[in-house]
């Protein structure tokens, strides 16, 4: 775990909070895809609603999940007013803590699953996109799933799966951050990067 604060003149601060996660062959990756949609992937996600709409802290905010061969990375990102960086970091970490509490409403859960499936199916509507879908799997995956088979695996994710996966990956020993902005003293920001 490490926090890097880069002192650079800027009118905006850029924040990236990341968690080391799961490899491509881990079946929990499907629940992580749904968790990502709940947290920050889309305009109805928690990060967008809380940090951008409610608190007005960010110019941009969101999250992404990348599965690599033996591990992965799930990261939250935000661009904020320099003077509100501390508030934004606290809000980002606060949303991770909320996931750990297991407080996910059924409506939010179903909406996230529908979003992941819809994005997947829309993403392979063209012939070249569909070829890319299969080509990636031929090169890197042990099994080849059609877009519909992937969606079926998303459908199979339960609320219990989400809570268990959050408990596995949202931990201090997996937490890293990088913050870029005009910050001479980084200690105050570094102290905020904790789930305790």
């Amino acid at each position: 775990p490490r926090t890097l604060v880069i002192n650079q003149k800027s009118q905006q601060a850029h924040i990236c909070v990341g968690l080391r996660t799961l490899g491509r062959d881990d079946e929990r990756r499907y629940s992580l895809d749904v968790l990502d949609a709940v947290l920050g992937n889309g305009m109805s996600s928690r990060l967008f609603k809380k940090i951008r709409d409610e608190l007005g802290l960010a110019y941009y905010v969101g999250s992404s999940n990348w599965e690599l061969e033996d591990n992965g990375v799930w990261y939250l990102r935000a661009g904020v007013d320099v003077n509100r960086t501390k508030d934004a970091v606290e809000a980002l970490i606060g949303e991770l803590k909320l996931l750990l509490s297991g407080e996910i409403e059924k409506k939010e859960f179903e909406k996230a699953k529908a979003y992941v499936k819809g994005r997947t199916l829309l993403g392979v509507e063209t012939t070249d996109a569909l070829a890319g879908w299969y080509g990636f799997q031929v090169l890197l995956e042990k099994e080849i799933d059609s877009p519909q088979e992937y969606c079926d695996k998303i459908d199979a994710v339960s609320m219990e799966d989400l809570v268990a996966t959050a408990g596995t990956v949202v931990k201090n020993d997996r937490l890293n951050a990088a913050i870029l902005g005009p910050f001479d003293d980084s200690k105050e920001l570094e102290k905020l990067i904790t789930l305790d």
Side-chain angles (χ1 to χ4, degrees):
R2 180 176 170 204
T3 299
L4 175 66
V5 178
I6 301 166
N7 185 2
Q8 180 175 310
K9 283 187 180 179
S10 173
Q11 294 180 341
Q12 235 183 89
H14 301 277
I15 305 162
C16 186
V17 175
L19 294 154
R20 284 178 290 112
T21 60
L22 315 165
R24 263 196 301 271
D25 296 331
D26 194 311
E27 286 298 311
R28 295 171 294 180
R29 73 186 226 187
Y30 304 104
S31 55
L32 192 55
D33 286 348
V34 178
L35 267 176
D36 181 51
V38 168
L39 182 66
N41 206 315
M43 292 176 66
S44 63
S45 68
R46 288 181 174 192
L47 290 181
F48 196 92
K49 287 195 281 192
K50 178 77 174 182
I51 294 173
R52 187 176 161 93
D53 287 351
E54 185 183 321
L55 299 175
L57 288 173
Y59 302 109
Y60 67 85
V61 65
S63 68
S64 295
N65 176 40
W66 290 80
E67 291 109 5
L68 306 172
E69 182 66 28
D70 57 354
N71 58 34
V73 62
W74 185 24
Y75 62 94
L76 294 59
R77 63 196 175 282
V80 303
D81 182 312
V82 167
N83 298 315
R84 303 190 72 192
T85 303
K86 182 175 180 276
D87 295 335
V89 171
E90 288 175 335
L92 288 168
I93 296 294
E95 289 302 315
L96 285 174
K97 289 178 181 177
L98 268 180
L99 281 184
L100 278 177
S101 71
E103 292 180 31
I104 300 169
E105 294 178 11
K106 184 161 181 57
K107 183 179 177 184
E108 181 181 34
F109 170 65
E110 295 299 338
K111 195 172 187 179
K113 286 169 68 168
Y115 173 80
V116 172
K117 293 185 296 181
R119 178 188 64 196
T120 299
L121 296 174
L122 282 172
V124 294
E125 282 191 328
T126 63
T127 306
D128 61 332
L130 189 59
W133 171 276
Y134 284 112
F136 177 86
Q137 291 183 78
V138 166
L139 291 171
L140 298 171
E141 301 281 356
K142 290 182 178 172
E143 293 180 18
I144 298 174
D145 286 337
S146 70
Q148 187 56 56
E149 286 170 326
Y150 169 81
C151 290
D152 292 344
K153 290 179 179 178
I154 293 297
D155 269 332
V157 172
S158 68
M159 191 82 79
E160 292 76 19
D161 293 333
L162 283 198
V163 174
T165 301
T168 298
V169 300
V170 183
K171 292 183 173 181
N172 274 325
D173 65 354
R174 293 176 173 260
L175 188 62
N176 296 275
I179 304 169
L180 185 144
F183 307 113
D184 293 326
D185 183 12
S186 63
K187 292 192 180 357
E188 186 178 0
L189 289 172
E190 289 171 2
K191 287 179 188 172
L192 299 176
I193 308 297
T194 179
L195 297 165
D196 293 333

